[in-house]
Amino acid sequence: QVQLVESGGGLVQAGGSLRLSCAASGRAFSSYGMGWFRQAPGKEREFVVAFSRSGDSTTYADSVKGRFTISRDNAKNTVYLQMNNLKPEDTAVYYCAASRLWFSMIQDSYHYWGQGTQVTVAS
């Protein structure tokens, strides 16, 4: 089992940047595929980015491609989401998740979730 704790959210002006962190504890962090999802007010939670166990495969949602970058540091048991050129439509609670699968974009295949961190982008 793995526990996930997100941090780094906050309020930022449009065009600004934030870096989210997801610290993992528990079983071997490197054995999980990782992902970030987000949920905006009144909307369903949606996929943002998925990252394979090995770190050599990554897929981004079209809405964030070219602006967001995921990375992982297995030595620190941490996944990062660098978010640049933020837009008001990026406002949401961002969730880090871990999957026993090597790689997945499907929410239902993620077994462990963090509590979420709020990102608010002001126009």
Side-chain angles (χ1 to χ4, degrees):
Q1 191 167 350
V2 63
Q3 294 78 43
L4 304 171
V5 178
E6 302 98 333
S7 61
L11 173 65
V12 64
Q13 294 292 317
S17 298
L18 283 174
R19 188 176 81 156
L20 306 183
S21 298
C22 173
S25 60
R27 282 198 59 202
F29 172 70
S30 60
S31 60
Y32 294 92
M34 300 298 295
W36 285 92
F37 296 81
R38 67 185 182 185
Q39 187 168 20
K43 296 187 178 181
E44 294 188 354
R45 190 161 57 189
E46 65 177 8
F47 167 78
V48 176
V49 58
F51 201 27
S52 66
R53 282 179 201 161
S54 56
D56 57 2
S57 292
T58 308
T59 296
Y60 294 90
D62 287 343
S63 58
V64 306
K65 202 173 293 183
R67 301 187 297 121
F68 289 14
T69 303
I70 190 172
S71 60
R72 67 189 295 168
D73 185 336
N74 286 341
K76 295 183 177 180
N77 283 5
T78 302
V79 173
Y80 304 97
L81 183 66
Q82 178 67 43
M83 305 186 296
N84 298 327
N85 190 22
L86 283 160
K87 303 176 181 180
E89 52 263 42
D90 294 318
T91 295
V93 177
Y94 283 71
Y95 297 91
C96 173
S99 173
R100 297 189 193 103
L101 301 179
W102 173 74
F103 178 87
S104 177
M105 297 166 56
I106 308 301
Q107 290 191 48
D108 288 347
S109 66
Y110 281 80
H111 305 88
Y112 306 104
W113 293 81
Q115 83 288 350
T117 185
Q118 177 70 47
V119 170
T120 303
V121 184
S123 57

